[in-house]
Amino acid sequence: MLKIGVLASGRGSNFQAIINAVKTGYLTARVEVLITDNPAAYAIKRAEDNGIAGLVMRPEEYSSPDTYYAAVADDLVKRDVGLVVLAGFMRVVRKPLIDLFPMRIMNIHPALLPSFPGLHAQRQAVSYGVKLSGCTVHFVDEGMDTGPVIIQAAVPVCHDDTEESLSERILKYEHRILPYAIRLFAEGRLEVKGRVVKIQGRTKKDEGVVVSPAIDR
Ligand code: GRF
């Protein structure tokens, strides 16, 4: 069975969505470990509540970012993790981790990449005035939110949205597409060809998760 290592820096609602997907049987996988860079992360409590090993690993305690990511990778390898999920991990991961998990690290980003990469994606979308934003699950490469896209959900933006209201609307879809992307990976249905990720055996039902209903108000 696929073993998952989750990296998260804060609240951990996406981490919770993964835990729930495993609990309900939607996802056949095991969450092996939560690693956080933030000792105050609420994600730690979620790990504890669900019998998942929770590790605090702070970059400040390592001599360089590369040493840090080598240590993180070492732990994940020791636990025989097959997929690393960045679920609100607020750092750009580096080569020592990426090299050991090529196309085996996923990130959830709260915008339709390549629009609005980096921090405060929802704020960027609101200030730009786009009418459509959403969220993206992608494989991680060395760039900032630049790796091959696995799945996206489109979410409407209203003219009176704030960063908070848009974040809340997008988050609901993050919680759907992240477990979905992990499930596709666990089922061996993701094939990466250059930048393009092919989803094998995609059905009409699969398409249903990617577009939110229009908002009528
Ligand atoms: C999410 O919006 C995620 O897309 C972004 O950071 C937020 C983390 O939320 N990268 P949570 O910690 O999963 O609740």
Side-chain angles (χ1 to χ4, degrees):
M1 193 189 300
L2 176 69
K3 292 181 185 165
I4 300 171
V6 176
L7 271 58
S9 300
R11 177 179 59 182
S13 70
N14 279 289
F15 173 41
Q16 187 69 53
I18 300 169
I19 294 171
N20 295 348
V22 171
K23 273 192 189 161
T24 61
Y26 175 82
L27 188 57
T28 308
R30 195 184 133 81
V31 184
E32 201 62 26
V33 64
L34 164 82
I35 299 180
T36 183
D37 56 344
N38 171 16
Y42 188 71
I44 299 170
K45 167 94 170 56
R46 297 184 195 268
E48 274 168 21
D49 289 351
N50 290 280
I52 297 167
L55 286 186
V56 178
M57 295 179 76
R58 300 178 62 224
E60 298 76 13
E61 288 165 8
Y62 295 80
S63 55
S64 68
D66 279 3
T67 327
Y68 175 67
Y69 286 107
V72 169
D74 190 49
D75 184 86
L76 294 168
V77 168
K78 278 191 186 131
R79 293 174 194 270
D80 194 27
V81 160
L83 177 70
V84 182
V85 180
L86 311 184
F89 186 65
M90 307 312 277
R91 292 173 189 273
V92 178
V93 301
R94 306 270 287 240
K95 216 169 157 20
L97 178 59
I98 296 168
D99 283 354
L100 281 179
F101 292 90
M103 296 302 141
R104 288 195 290 139
I105 308 175
M106 279 183 191
N107 179 45
I108 175 85
H109 182 75
L112 289 178
L113 292 170
S115 291
F116 313 129
L119 291 176
H120 306 298
Q122 304 94 330
R123 188 192 301 171
Q124 294 183 54
V126 168
S127 357
Y128 198 94
V130 291
K131 301 297 183 195
L132 199 59
S133 191
C135 44
T136 302
V137 183
H138 63 93
F139 282 117
V140 171
D141 62 12
E142 283 177 63
M144 163 87 88
D145 302 321
T146 51
V149 169
I150 300 165
I151 192 156
Q152 296 184 299
V155 174
V157 184
C158 304
H159 63 88
D160 55 357
D161 260 328
T162 59
E163 181 181 5
E164 289 70 35
S165 62
L166 180 61
S167 300
E168 198 184 318
R169 192 175 310 122
I170 291 174
L171 192 65
K172 291 195 184 106
Y173 286 87
E174 295 185 36
H175 296 165
R176 292 173 68 169
I177 66 170
L178 183 57
Y180 177 60
I182 299 171
R183 185 165 95 162
L184 291 172
F185 181 93
E187 292 172 349
R189 289 170 61 196
L190 298 179
E191 188 192 337
V192 187
K193 290 236 160 115
R195 282 214 53 86
V196 177
V197 180
K198 281 192 184 177
I199 300 177
Q200 309 292 349
R202 206 157 176 197
T203 65
K204 270 248 152 55
K205 192 166 155 278
D206 294 331
E207 307 281 352
V209 300
V210 298
V211 183
S212 86
I215 296 172
D216 188 9
R217 59 174 200 168

